[in-house]
Amino acid sequence: MTVVSLETYAENTWCPGCGDFGILAAAKAAIQELVREGTPLENIVILSGIGCHGKIVDYINVNSFYSLHGRVLPAATGIKMANPELTVIGFAGDGDAYGEGVEHFVFSAKRNTDIVLVVHNNMVYGLTTGQYTPTSPKGYQGKSTPKGSPEEPMNPIALALASGATFVARGYAANKKHLIWLIKEAVKHRGFALVDVLQPCVTFYNTFPYFSKHVYDLQEEGHDTSDFMAAMEKAREWNHRLEGRVPIGIFYKVEKPTFEEELLKGRRPRQMPYIDTVSHVLKQHI
Amino acid sequence: MREYSVLIGGQAGDGVRQAGQMVARIFNRLGYYVFGYDDYPSLIRGGHNFSLVRAAEKRVLNHNPEVDVIIALNKETVEKHAWRLNNNSLVIFDGREQIGVEGSKVLAVPMSAEVRKRRYHPLTRNTYALGIMAGALQIPLEILKDVVRSMLRKHVEENLELAELGYEEGKNHAIRRVEKLDNDPRPVLTGNEAVALGAAKAGLRFYIGYPMTPASSLLHYLAAHEDELNVITVHPENEIGVAMMAIGAAYAGARTMVGTAGGGFALMVESLSLTGQNEIPVVFVVNQRPAPATGVPTYTAQSDLHFVLNAGHGEFPRVVVSPGDVDEAFYLAGKALNLAWKYQVPAIILSDKHLAESYMTATFDESRVKPEEPVLWKPNGEFKRYLDTETGVSPMAFPGTPGAIVKVTSYEHDEYGITTEEPEVITKMVEKRMRKVKYIVEELKREETVKVYGEGETAIVTWGSTKGAVVEAAEKLGLKVIQPLYLEPFPTWAMEKALKGVKKLIDVEVNYGGALARLLKTYGIHVDAKILRYDGRPWTPHELEEKLREVV
Ligand SMILES: Cc1ncc(C[n+]2csc(CCOP(=O)(O)OP(=O)(O)O)c2C)c(N)n1
Ligand code: SF4
Ligand SMILES: [Mg+2]
């Protein structure tokens, strides 16, 4: 079987060596494998927020919705509920998903919408030149916090779990094979799937040396992905300080009814006919 | 003109609104045109609520401050509204004590006590009172019973029993006979209900909303009628979520509408601008209420005209419609949805509390609204979501279409949907989008875009729900009325025609600054006088008549 080409003519403008290249490569490979395994290419939709990460939609030749900063998830939810047959994969920044649009993050997890969210977590606002984000460690010095960030970082893995996400994982942009596997697992999972990806920003916060030495694979070491408390414990093992070991892999995975199933109750929005009269309703108003 | 007005007053939780709607339906079944106005503060229990129902031989779009009957569920109602009574009026009062109201007949009936004695639901008291009213106005009991059966789901037998009891008492104190007219009953709708039905008839698939008065009842209505109208309703986390979900759903091919008041729309403004860039059709219902900020949530205003016209960063075409009654609400909701989809632009239905929540007789012809075909991609050759065409409208395809890769974006982009910063491409795409205005205007020239009532050298210009009071007052004074139904693109051609021969132009609105007058000025139309109010209340014909006499 031939591999579908996903190239576009858009010029890639990421800094050489950026962790985003690893996510792009893994995303393309995952999409190609999904297509090879039977998902029609036209049924795949990707979205992105605004930031360096957002450019990914210009670099993959597939249906795409380049959204606003922080607004990947409600748009993805709208797409999925209007056409549940689509495979919907969102790409967002850490500033995007955990800052500007965090309410949608909490609610998408709570609803269990059947979409995938890949977060390019570089712990900085890349495109706006390196300010601290919700996941920057306390004391991080960027242009908006020259005296050091006064805040503790947010723990998105723990937040996703607490919000009700049914698939919670972390990848590393430099572990391409592992990331392809995670994205595919996330797509196959029915429900809201978070793949938070450690994505070093070589220009503003080069974390490659640290992560390459300190990540370890949860699945290799053995972890019960159906145990919520164990997942929470693993989530809290590391929180964005460049200290200690960093678990990657699937933290948690359970089955629950999805938002679309509960909302649509078997209705197929794109196939429902237009009504040809409202007279039956008008009668109730007499 | 034969007409009757009834006021029902009590506390929040007393079922005043429903009782008002029952009165409206009684008169509807007698062949009258009806109009019902609800006045209620923003609270759930206590306070003072009242409904004013007016029934007349001719179409009426406003309440009458003077009433023939007051149903006072408490003493406060009598105190607050005694000024509305005339020599022929009747007060039906829930209580034992005989209270004096100068010049009017008072019928004190201990209704609550009777209901309590029978251990019936407290709200059955309202039917008791309506029974008394029906008796006093010599309205056939069967009509009231029929309304009870059609409107109430619970305690029907108890209600019917109390209707009869009340009727017997009322009969002994008859003040008038309401004659039955030779008209079939017609649907009685609120502005929100008419918008819901008009949009549904034009193919609405999703309605998405976050509760906010006076738009909540639109969400509730569509949620209650999902299966009858093939509409799916969603209530997300906030208005940003609402607007973005709508854009996502429309991108996937579903006709989608959202609704809110000014404050919620403020949160949607960034998304509105996104629809300007990615050309995804979404309809926004904006129901005005007094602002800024939380303002006066349950009252009315027309102070968001320029907000709605100018909302969103950047330049992009939009459609703004302004219905003034339920018929216009039905037609314009359908038109807004169709225009949005045919031209891939955002469309805004600008309404207000007075239209959205008041109920009135509908006479629209539903066959005039149906889904109109958007420009769709025919599977041949390469698909370009933003193909530059003569009309500026690019044939659409939705994800899931074999052979089409549908790339939409918030960045400026080339025809394929890939980000661009090239000056030539930017210029071309801005012009492509703005070119659509010309074709929207061409289509609007075939539509009724400005309504004209009466004739003469003195004209009143007004918009939205205010036209109801204006038209009635103008009729009495022999003045012409001009009401634009479209505020963007502004129908200059039709205004020019309407203004022919007009020597004096008076602007009537419900805001402080004269928003419409300001808009007209940008098109070179100057008003000679403005009659404005900004107390949260709609104009009534009587008040306007006085004001108009001063300036004419
Ligand atoms: C509403 C809004 N606020 C601010 C911005 C400016 N802005 C663009 S990208 C960005 C930060 C992006 O950071 P992140 O989401 O972490 O993405 P990254 O660039 O790191 O990939 C900001 C604040 C914007 N585009 N929109
Ligand atoms: S600024 Fe950082 S995140 Fe952005 S492209 Fe450069 S390296 Fe990558
Ligand atoms: Mg970032």
Side-chain angles (χ1 to χ4, degrees):
Chain A
M1 259 191 130
T2 53
V3 177
V4 288
S5 164
L6 297 174
E7 301 301 312
T8 68
Y9 53 83
E11 183 197 347
N12 192 307
T13 56
W14 284 326
C15 309
C18 173
D20 281 332
F21 285 101
I23 300 179
L24 173 62
K28 275 182 166 173
I31 291 172
Q32 275 161 339
E33 286 182 25
L34 289 167
V35 172
R36 206 176 317 137
E37 287 160 17
T39 306
L41 182 67
E42 66 266 19
N43 280 5
I44 298 174
V45 184
I46 62 174
L47 300 92
S48 75
I50 300 299
C52 294
H53 70 274
K55 299 176 179 180
I56 195 166
V57 293
D58 276 354
Y59 304 153
I60 306 180
N61 201 21
V62 62
N63 295 314
S64 64
F65 187 115
Y66 207 151
S67 190
L68 294 167
H69 186 44
R71 314 297 169 207
V72 164
L73 287 170
T77 305
I79 294 168
K80 186 71 187 177
M81 72 192 192
N83 187 351
E85 278 151 41
L86 300 175
T87 295
V88 181
I89 309 170
F91 296 88
D94 48 327
D96 206 77
Y98 305 144
E100 186 80 311
V102 70
E103 73 273 39
H104 311 304
F105 179 73
V106 171
F107 271 79
S108 300
K110 170 185 182 286
R111 287 189 192 107
N112 200 33
T113 309
D114 183 17
I115 54 182
V116 176
L117 180 69
V118 177
V119 179
H120 301 222
N121 184 359
N122 53 7
M123 298 154 42
V124 286
Y125 286 123
L127 194 59
T128 49
T129 67
Q131 300 87 348
Y132 88 111
T133 67
T135 54
S136 306
K138 186 171 179 190
Y140 171 87
Q141 287 175 311
K143 288 177 198 155
S144 67
T145 54
K147 296 192 176 73
S149 148
E151 298 171 32
E152 288 292 346
M154 171 190 280
N155 185 331
I157 302 285
L159 179 61
L161 288 169
S163 305
T166 51
F167 181 104
V168 182
R170 179 189 284 137
Y172 176 35
N175 281 10
K176 183 176 160 194
K177 244 173 116 179
H178 183 254
L179 188 54
I180 296 171
W181 174 73
L182 276 184
I183 294 174
K184 283 185 66 190
E185 286 300 301
V187 168
K188 285 183 206 154
H189 174 72
R190 283 177 52 264
F192 181 72
L194 168 69
V195 184
D196 176 83
V197 184
L198 303 167
Q199 176 247 313
C201 162
V202 290
T203 302
F204 295 111
Y205 199 13
N206 189 0
T207 49
F208 270 127
Y210 186 82
F211 288 135
S212 290
K213 232 183 260 153
H214 292 88
V215 296
Y216 77 92
D217 187 333
L218 276 173
Q219 269 66 46
E220 257 171 31
E221 293 204 358
H223 165 67
D224 181 358
T225 56
S226 67
D227 182 341
F228 182 83
M229 293 315 285
M232 227 4 153
E233 208 168 287
K234 282 292 172 194
R236 300 181 59 168
E237 183 179 334
W238 179 79
N239 191 20
H240 298 89
R241 209 186 294 233
L242 301 188
E243 265 174 36
R245 298 210 309 157
V246 184
I248 60 170
I250 301 174
F251 287 74
Y252 189 59
K253 180 172 158 53
V254 287
E255 288 286 322
K256 268 194 217 159
T258 69
F259 172 66
E260 301 73 47
E261 286 166 353
E262 297 290 321
L263 175 78
L264 298 175
K265 301 204 188 320
R267 292 174 292 185
R268 301 172 72 201
R270 298 270 288 120
Q271 277 77 35
M272 283 160 77
Y274 291 136
I275 51 165
D276 44 37
T277 178
V278 294
S279 58
H280 53 303
V281 178
L282 286 175
K283 262 190 217 131
Q284 301 161 11
H285 288 272
I286 287 173
Chain B
M1 176 169 79
R2 259 175 299 193
E3 67 163 278
Y4 306 93
S5 282
V6 177
L7 181 144
I8 303 137
Q11 290 190 355
D14 279 349
V16 165
R17 183 175 167 83
Q18 192 184 48
Q21 289 180 336
M22 289 174 76
V23 171
R25 293 211 185 187
I26 291 169
F27 280 96
N28 185 38
R29 278 156 207 248
L30 290 165
Y32 288 82
Y33 285 90
V34 297
F35 181 93
Y37 166 76
D38 287 324
D39 188 300
Y40 64 102
S42 186
L43 46 75
I44 306 300
R45 289 278 180 270
H48 178 65
N49 282 20
F50 66 95
S51 283
L52 265 168
V53 182
R54 182 179 179 199
E57 269 175 296
K58 276 194 345 190
R59 167 192 281 277
V60 282
L61 295 174
N62 251 283
H63 49 283
N64 187 347
E66 274 189 31
V67 297
D68 302 286
V69 178
I70 287 183
I71 297 176
L73 300 176
N74 57 13
K75 208 166 164 182
E76 191 185 10
T77 302
V78 186
E79 288 159 4
K80 280 206 144 93
H81 300 284
W83 63 274
R84 300 176 183 276
L85 297 162
N86 59 42
N87 290 340
N88 249 327
S89 301
L90 173 71
V91 178
I92 300 166
F93 173 62
D94 181 12
R96 244 175 263 282
E97 55 183 315
Q98 199 41 256
I99 50 169
V101 181
E102 211 180 315
S104 287
K105 221 166 148 179
V106 179
L107 192 51
V109 181
M111 294 182 273
S112 310
E114 189 63 42
V115 165
R116 257 196 313 273
K117 199 176 84 197
R118 293 169 190 243
R119 295 177 189 277
Y120 287 175
H121 191 278
L123 289 182
T124 56
R125 165 173 67 156
N126 295 341
T127 313
Y128 194 171
L130 295 182
I132 300 173
M133 179 199 79
L137 298 178
Q138 301 184 49
I139 294 168
L141 174 63
E142 215 22 66
I143 288 189
L144 169 60
K145 284 186 158 179
D146 204 35
V147 168
V148 167
R149 284 190 212 102
S150 76
M151 272 187 82
L152 302 182
R153 295 276 160 273
K154 287 190 224 155
H155 313 295
V156 176
E157 285 312 311
E158 290 96 314
N159 276 292
L160 290 174
E161 184 189 320
L162 290 175
E164 211 164 322
L165 188 71
Y167 192 79
E168 293 307 318
E169 277 170 67
K171 241 172 35 183
N172 300 330
H173 303 273
I175 49 164
R176 300 207 204 172
R177 167 184 293 280
V178 175
E179 263 157 82
K180 189 166 176 358
L181 304 180
D182 201 18
N183 297 318
D184 285 336
R186 285 160 289 220
V188 178
L189 297 176
T190 65
N192 277 345
E193 290 163 351
V195 165
L197 294 176
K201 190 75 205 299
L204 186 70
R205 183 62 70 241
F206 282 99
Y207 179 80
I208 312 179
Y210 185 86
M212 187 167 191
T213 307
S216 302
S217 55
L218 180 49
L219 172 63
H220 301 165
Y221 184 75
L222 280 166
H225 292 83
E226 276 201 344
D227 298 333
E228 290 156 292
L229 297 173
N230 278 0
V231 173
I232 299 160
T233 51
V234 189
H235 163 182
E237 59 272 35
N238 56 30
E239 286 87 348
I240 300 176
V242 166
M244 290 304 304
M245 264 191 202
I247 301 172
Y251 164 69
R255 293 190 173 213
T256 303
M257 182 165 85
V258 304
T260 183
F265 185 63
L267 290 177
M268 297 182 183
V269 166
E270 194 197 13
S271 312
L272 173 75
S273 172
L274 172 59
T275 67
Q277 180 68 256
N278 71 8
E279 300 189 57
I280 294 182
V282 173
V283 175
F284 298 78
V285 180
V286 182
N287 286 347
Q288 301 164 95
R289 66 190 215 188
T294 311
V296 196
T298 57
Y299 288 84
T300 203
Q302 295 184 298
S303 47
D304 294 333
L305 171 59
H306 290 279
F307 174 38
V308 154
L309 286 176
N310 298 296
H313 47 303
E315 299 167 282
F316 56 93
R318 76 187 73 198
V319 171
V320 180
V321 298
S322 162
D325 61 40
V326 290
D327 290 353
E328 291 165 8
F330 180 85
Y331 294 133
L332 290 174
K335 202 67 210 168
L337 194 55
N338 281 322
L339 288 170
W341 276 74
K342 281 161 79 177
Y343 298 95
Q344 302 176 32
V345 294
I348 297 165
I349 300 168
L350 185 57
S351 177
D352 57 51
K353 187 268 174 186
H354 190 52
L355 172 60
E357 295 196 342
S358 299
Y359 40 95
M360 60 208 89
T361 304
T363 57
F364 57 76
D365 168 10
E366 69 151 321
S367 71
R368 274 177 49 191
V369 173
K370 55 177 180 300
E372 293 168 28
E373 270 301 304
V375 184
L376 294 177
W377 179 66
K378 301 200 180 51
N380 51 10
E382 195 189 13
F383 174 71
K384 287 182 171 168
R385 179 60 186 81
Y386 299 109
L387 187 73
D388 193 10
T389 63
E390 191 193 322
T391 58
V393 177
S394 317
M396 262 191 298
F398 311 113
T401 310
I405 289 172
V406 190
K407 290 184 105 58
V408 299
T409 168
S410 71
Y411 276 97
E412 190 55 271
H413 45 266
D414 63 15
E415 288 187 311
Y416 196 66
I418 300 277
T419 307
T420 189
E421 294 175 342
E422 295 305 318
E424 306 78 36
V425 185
I426 300 171
T427 307
K428 184 171 112 151
M429 292 316 248
V430 169
E431 288 171 0
K432 162 195 148 31
R433 291 191 293 267
M434 296 312 293
R435 196 152 62 236
K436 294 192 274 188
V437 177
K438 185 178 149 210
Y439 294 90
I440 298 173
V441 165
E442 252 175 42
E443 173 164 349
L444 290 187
K445 282 187 175 166
R446 297 190 295 269
E447 297 280 323
E448 181 180 47
T449 50
V450 173
K451 272 200 172 161
V452 176
Y453 307 82
E455 52 190 58
E457 291 187 343
T458 303
I460 307 169
V461 64
T462 191
W463 61 291
S465 67
T466 303
K467 81 101 176 250
V470 167
V471 169
E472 195 174 329
E475 254 175 33
K476 282 216 183 111
L477 301 174
L479 305 174
K480 183 175 186 173
V481 179
I482 301 169
Q483 175 209 3
L485 297 174
Y486 286 78
L487 301 171
E488 178 63 37
F490 194 72
T492 45
W493 62 94
M495 281 302 282
E496 240 166 67
K497 210 174 132 205
L499 285 165
K500 236 183 221 133
V502 172
K503 299 230 163 69
K504 186 167 188 176
L505 191 60
I506 303 159
D507 171 54
V508 181
E509 307 184 49
V510 180
N511 56 49
Y512 179 81
L516 179 62
R518 206 175 114 202
L519 179 67
L520 291 175
K521 207 164 156 186
T522 63
Y523 296 102
I525 301 165
H526 297 271
V527 304
D528 300 291
K530 292 182 214 165
I531 300 179
L532 305 169
R533 75 187 294 165
Y534 29 86
D535 58 353
R537 271 61 177 179
W539 284 110
T540 62
H542 305 256
E543 294 163 318
L544 262 183
E545 226 184 287
E546 258 171 55
K547 297 272 176 194
L548 282 166
R549 278 187 210 282
E550 286 168 25
V551 296
V552 169

